[in-house]
């Protein structure tokens, strides 16, 4: 059975999504919990990756299981074993052909900049610039991207 999971996490304490030897990552933590529940190594496949310190709301991943456990029970089990900064929001059964990375339809990124007084409650969720942005300079700089460009050098 293939299970599609929606996860949200605060990435402050992690070195990104993808497993990296010797570093704490979101994927590593989830795979360790899944592997302990299933009593065998359980890899997960995600819709994408995040960098160190980056947070996610609604990131999708999938894993396979032969265990007869309902999706609701899976969610309860995983959340009871995961740290509080990683939460499984939803689990549904997916077609065997479902692939979190290749079936992703869209991704949305938010970048937050605080231009006001330093906010200690937002320190991990927004750039604390604490000064006004020069919008005219930003428009001038961004103008170099207007038009048709060949970005194939940035592709695999």
């Amino acid at each position: 059975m293939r299970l599609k999971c929606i996860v949200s996490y605060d990435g402050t304490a992690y070195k990104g999504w993808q497993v990296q030897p010797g570093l704490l990552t979101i994927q590593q933590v989830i795979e360790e919990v899944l592997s302990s529940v299933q009593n065998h190594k359980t890899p997960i496949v995600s819709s994408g990756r995040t960098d160190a310190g980056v947070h996610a709301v609604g990131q999708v991943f999938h894993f396979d299981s032969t265990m007869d456990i309902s999706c609701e029970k899976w969610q309860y089990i995983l959340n009871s074993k995961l740290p509080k900064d990683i939460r499984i929001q939803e689990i549904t059964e997916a077609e065997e052909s479902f692939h979190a990375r290749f079936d992703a339809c869209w991704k949305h990124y938010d970048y937050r900049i605080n231009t006001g007084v330093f906010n200690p409650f937002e320190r991990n969720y927004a750039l604390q610039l604490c000064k006004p942005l020069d919008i005219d300079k930003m428009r001038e700089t961004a103008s170099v991207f207007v038009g048709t460009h060949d970005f194939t050098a940035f592709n695999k």
Side-chain angles (χ1 to χ4, degrees), residues 138-156:
M138 292 171 69
R139 284 192 178 113
E140 178 186 332
T141 303
S143 70
V144 301
F145 295 106
V146 175
T148 303
H149 304 282
D150 181 3
F151 291 104
T152 55
F154 296 100
N155 294 333
K156 284 187 176 181

Side-chain angles (χ1 to χ4, degrees), residues 5-106:
C5 303
I6 299 176
V7 63
S8 295
Y9 53 86
D10 178 325
T12 302
Y14 301 91
K15 298 300 182 188
W17 170 271
Q18 189 173 11
V19 170
Q20 300 176 61
L23 300 175
L24 183 65
T25 68
I26 302 292
Q27 180 182 7
Q28 170 198 343
V29 171
I30 296 171
E31 285 182 351
E32 285 174 359
V33 169
L34 277 169
S35 297
S36 73
V37 172
Q38 298 206 101
N39 293 316
H40 63 80
K41 186 172 171 63
T42 304
I44 62 177
V45 176
S46 85
S47 57
R49 300 178 300 210
T50 54
D51 291 330
V54 174
H55 319 293
V57 176
Q59 185 169 341
V60 176
F61 71 87
H62 76 260
F63 72 95
D64 295 326
S65 177
T66 58
M67 298 179 75
D68 187 21
I69 299 176
S70 71
C71 293
E72 294 79 16
K73 185 71 172 176
W74 265 116
Q75 183 177 352
Y76 173 81
I77 292 168
L78 295 180
N79 282 335
S80 70
K81 295 179 179 299
L82 286 166
K84 299 295 183 212
D85 52 4
I86 302 174
R87 292 287 94 185
I88 305 299
Q89 303 297 322
E90 181 181 347
I91 298 180
T92 55
E93 197 168 333
E95 297 290 326
E96 290 297 319
S97 62
F98 173 77
H99 194 284
R101 179 176 167 207
F102 299 125
D103 290 337
C105 297
W106 59 272

